[in-house]
Amino acid sequence: MLSSVQNPRTLLLHCRRSKPLHHHYHHRHYAKPIHATPLSHPISASLPTSQIQTIQKSILSREKTTRQFAEEFLNRLRLTEPHVKSFLHVSETVLDEADEIDRKIDRNEDVGPLAGVLVAVKDNICTADMPSTAGSKILENYRPPFDATAVKKLKESGAIIVGKTNLDEFGMGSTTEGSAYQVTANPWNLECVPGGSSGGSAAAVSARQCVVSLGSDTGGSVRQPASFCGVVGLKPTYGRVSRYGLVAYASSLDVIGCFGSSVADAGILLQSICGHDKLDATSSKREVNDFTSQFISKDYFESQPLKGLRVGVISETLGDGVDQEVVSSIRGAVSHLEELGCTVTEVSLPSFSLGLPAYYVLASSESSSNLSRYDGVRYGNQMVSDELSSLYGGSRANGFGPEVKRRILMGTYALSAGYYDAYYKRAQQVRTLVQKSFKAALDSHDILISPAAPSAAYKIGEKKNDPLAMYAGDIMTVNVNLAGLPALVLPCGFVKESSSSLPVGFQMIGAAFDEEKLLRVGHIFEQTLQGYSFIPPLIADEFKS
């Protein structure tokens, strides 16, 4: 177990990215070069604007059709996907759905708040009309007979599901290198990881292959890739969004989260999927406020729009083990908040370093239980065998990847009779300490600030064979899941590499069910941050003014 932040250990040899394994997904293999004639687009290259609001305004005023927007994003997807590999499956019905929305508009029918918006969905969230494999061979070709509640709500709001995105198997990983099918590349540098486990969803938004996307966050799987890919990542409060239809990893920690290229888009997406669901016993019945009311124009901001806001910078997150350029970017973001009127102080959370080992004990224990159902009989692809024990063992041995097996073994050990009190029980006690320390800090502060990750994106293969170094990268995010709190990550600067600049995101943590405040602060921050453009080089030529 890890008890403190550890410096990432760089391997002497960087593994080259391997070719994706052959599988039966409906992949789009495109031969067109990446440098093509620029497309028209609804996105500003200066301050982030809401693509959702722009699309809605354009299609309802009949300035452009839904089909035109859909074709633009699909064209960009065709050009970039051979390089980025965000998607495991691309829908064949996107244009048909776009045409149907245009016909409804022509008939003056209500089309919903997400009409014409192309949404990518992480492949561990069930979709009735597309594969849902959780990035695992054991669920290869599995098509659920139902939609997850979040997906159902998206469709009811008029959204078009463009496809399913790549992930580390069952959400266990930080790079997408744990996927059984392919490795996704970071649009900012194709030699670097996009983060994980929701790396495909983050990369798809970063490369503007879709408007927004859904991911899942068990210990930072939305927020870390958002930081690595230079997009906005929103982890809601536990219980805010129904988990029905989300393939379970660690049920007390799993949350469906949102990616967008602006805070407004992430907030509008959350608005569409949150709320009580009778199919999820952990779903909250708390009333959902109108998040979109926070997204006012910069023209209406006061000189210090965040005056009086109390911000606490978690001191334990800016010390040893954190890249100095990351620390500089975070301090720059804090200075900007002060300019906006915030009162900033440092706050100490003594239990912060204990969260990482506690998280891995609890998450591994829950995964050991949740994944026991995949035995080739009840769930999962089956290996042919004459004996039941060989059928079980063969199905799991061939279906699960190395990281999933590692965590199952860790969890089974922690739950065993002789070690339950020493590991699982103690980890639950640490979880209580983490919850209490956050509550005390948030009683005297409106939001807390930390980096989203100790470093910017690293090279593909750099940590693949060093799981402890990869686990240490979750130090900034796992405590939030243990406490069940909401958090918002948005880009705030860059780390200079030899051949490229990589984005850095900072994390804002709020009180339970206070996403509204996080979205307000995040929106004001991004609309007043000058001198940065978070459009990756892969598509930068397209968005030049």
Side-chain angles (χ1 to χ4, degrees):
M1 293 192 300
L2 302 171
S3 59
S4 61
V5 181
Q6 295 188 8
N7 288 313
R9 288 167 283 171
T10 305
L11 301 179
L12 294 177
L13 296 175
H14 300 310
C15 300
R16 290 185 178 273
R17 178 157 55 113
S18 60
K19 294 180 180 179
L21 297 172
H22 295 293
H23 52 88
H24 301 294
Y25 272 27
H26 178 74
H27 267 295
R28 306 290 183 108
H29 297 288
Y30 306 114
K32 293 182 179 180
I34 194 65
H35 299 294
T37 303
L39 307 169
S40 58
H41 55 85
I43 311 166
S44 168
S46 52
L47 292 176
T49 58
S50 170
Q51 296 184 70
I52 294 176
Q53 292 175 340
T54 300
I55 291 171
Q56 283 269 296
K57 180 180 177 182
S58 296
I59 65 173
L60 293 178
S61 66
R62 294 174 171 80
E63 179 184 338
K64 289 179 70 173
T65 65
T66 308
R67 185 184 182 92
Q68 287 175 315
F69 278 115
E71 286 176 337
E72 288 179 3
F73 280 97
L74 287 176
N75 286 342
R76 194 178 300 115
L77 192 155
R78 290 188 184 100
L79 293 173
T80 56
E81 184 59 12
H83 305 267
V84 180
K85 296 185 173 68
S86 301
F87 285 87
L88 293 177
H89 178 86
V90 177
S91 172
E92 295 181 324
T93 64
V94 171
L95 294 181
D96 292 338
E97 293 178 51
D99 289 339
E100 179 58 28
I101 292 172
D102 287 331
R103 286 192 288 270
K104 286 184 177 181
I105 292 173
D106 290 339
R107 296 193 297 264
N108 293 318
E109 296 180 14
D110 180 35
V111 290
L114 293 181
V117 175
L118 270 62
V119 183
V121 177
K122 188 176 180 181
D123 202 37
N124 64 345
I125 301 174
C126 288
T127 47
D129 51 353
M130 299 182 203
S132 302
T133 72
S136 179
K137 283 292 185 182
I138 206 164
L139 287 175
E140 186 172 15
N141 297 323
Y142 172 63
R143 285 179 179 259
F146 65 96
D147 283 324
T149 296
V151 173
K152 181 182 177 183
K153 289 187 174 185
L154 287 177
K155 291 181 177 179
E156 290 171 349
S157 298
I160 300 172
I161 308 301
V162 66
K164 304 299 290 292
T165 57
N166 192 32
L167 70 156
D168 292 285
E169 187 178 4
F170 285 102
M172 300 181 190
S174 305
T175 62
T176 73
E177 292 169 299
S179 171
Y181 302 106
Q182 63 188 28
V183 178
T184 300
N186 191 317
W188 288 87
N189 183 334
L190 297 177
E191 296 180 353
C192 291
V193 300
S197 62
S198 308
S201 292
V205 171
S206 180
R208 307 311 194 259
Q209 296 175 327
C210 59
V211 182
V212 288
S213 65
L214 292 184
S216 64
D217 192 309
T218 305
S221 291
V222 164
R223 290 161 289 153
Q224 183 247 32
S227 177
F228 281 11
C229 291
V231 297
V232 176
L234 175 58
K235 176 218 171 287
T237 306
Y238 184 82
R240 175 67 90 182
V241 178
S242 171
R243 291 187 297 110
Y244 180 74
L246 172 65
V247 176
Y249 163 18
S251 301
S252 74
L253 301 165
D254 295 339
V255 176
I256 292 178
C258 307
F259 290 100
S261 56
S262 68
V263 173
D265 282 346
I268 294 170
L269 183 60
L270 176 62
Q271 188 82 58
S272 298
I273 65 172
C274 64
H276 177 65
D277 177 21
K278 64 181 180 181
L279 298 174
D280 177 10
T282 63
S283 172
S284 173
K285 295 182 179 180
R286 188 178 291 236
E287 182 181 352
V288 179
N289 295 328
D290 180 12
F291 302 141
T292 61
S293 63
Q294 304 301 318
F295 308 135
I296 60 175
S297 169
K298 180 185 176 184
D299 298 335
Y300 296 99
F301 289 171
E302 299 174 356
S303 59
Q304 287 191 317
L306 296 179
K307 187 174 182 178
L309 190 82
R310 301 167 300 169
V311 175
V313 180
I314 303 174
S315 56
E316 286 82 2
T317 65
L318 299 177
D320 294 339
V322 184
D323 187 282
Q324 284 306 304
E325 288 189 78
V326 171
V327 173
S328 296
S329 294
I330 301 305
R331 295 202 183 280
V334 169
S335 296
H336 185 56
L337 287 171
E338 288 179 318
E339 292 171 0
L340 294 171
C342 296
T343 301
V344 180
T345 57
E346 281 206 358
V347 58
S348 177
L349 300 180
S351 63
F352 195 86
S353 65
L354 303 177
L356 188 66
Y359 165 81
Y360 273 101
V361 169
L362 296 175
S364 298
S365 298
E366 292 188 33
S367 71
S368 171
S369 175
N370 278 325
L371 271 61
S372 65
R373 70 193 70 174
Y374 302 105
D375 53 18
V377 177
R378 293 172 294 174
Y379 295 92
N381 294 323
Q382 186 179 101
M383 289 290 293
V384 177
S385 177
D386 294 332
E387 296 183 0
L388 185 62
S389 59
S390 298
L391 185 151
Y392 283 160
S395 298
R396 290 169 69 83
N398 286 279
F400 290 142
E403 183 59 32
V404 173
K405 292 175 184 175
R406 182 182 296 116
R407 298 196 192 194
I408 289 174
L409 289 171
M410 288 167 56
T412 303
Y413 181 83
L415 291 174
S416 59
Y419 299 97
Y420 178 90
D421 287 348
Y423 292 105
Y424 185 79
K425 182 179 178 181
R426 185 170 295 181
Q428 288 287 25
Q429 292 170 334
V430 170
R431 184 176 192 168
T432 300
L433 289 176
V434 169
Q435 291 169 342
K436 288 181 177 179
S437 65
F438 269 113
K439 186 180 185 305
L442 288 166
D443 282 344
S444 56
H445 298 85
D446 295 301
I447 61 172
L448 303 177
I449 297 290
S450 79
S455 68
Y458 41 85
K459 297 288 186 182
I460 291 172
E462 184 174 324
K463 299 183 182 181
K464 185 177 181 179
N465 298 320
D466 192 352
L468 291 182
M470 196 174 292
Y471 295 168
D474 295 334
I475 183 68
M476 302 298 174
T477 52
V478 294
N479 287 275
V480 178
N481 295 81
L482 292 173
L485 300 176
L488 178 70
V489 167
L490 61 161
C492 64
F494 291 94
V495 166
K496 298 294 183 182
E497 294 291 327
S498 56
S499 59
S500 63
S501 293
L502 297 170
V504 172
F506 81 105
Q507 176 176 232
M508 295 190 297
I509 305 164
F513 299 99
D514 203 5
E515 289 88 354
E516 189 173 6
K517 183 180 293 178
L518 291 178
L519 290 167
R520 173 176 171 264
V521 176
H523 175 69
I524 292 172
F525 179 93
E526 74 171 5
Q527 293 300 308
T528 54
L529 186 66
Q530 301 291 331
Y532 292 102
S533 176
F534 293 100
I535 297 175
L538 188 68
I539 57 170
D541 289 346
E542 181 184 340
F543 296 98
K544 286 181 179 177
S545 312

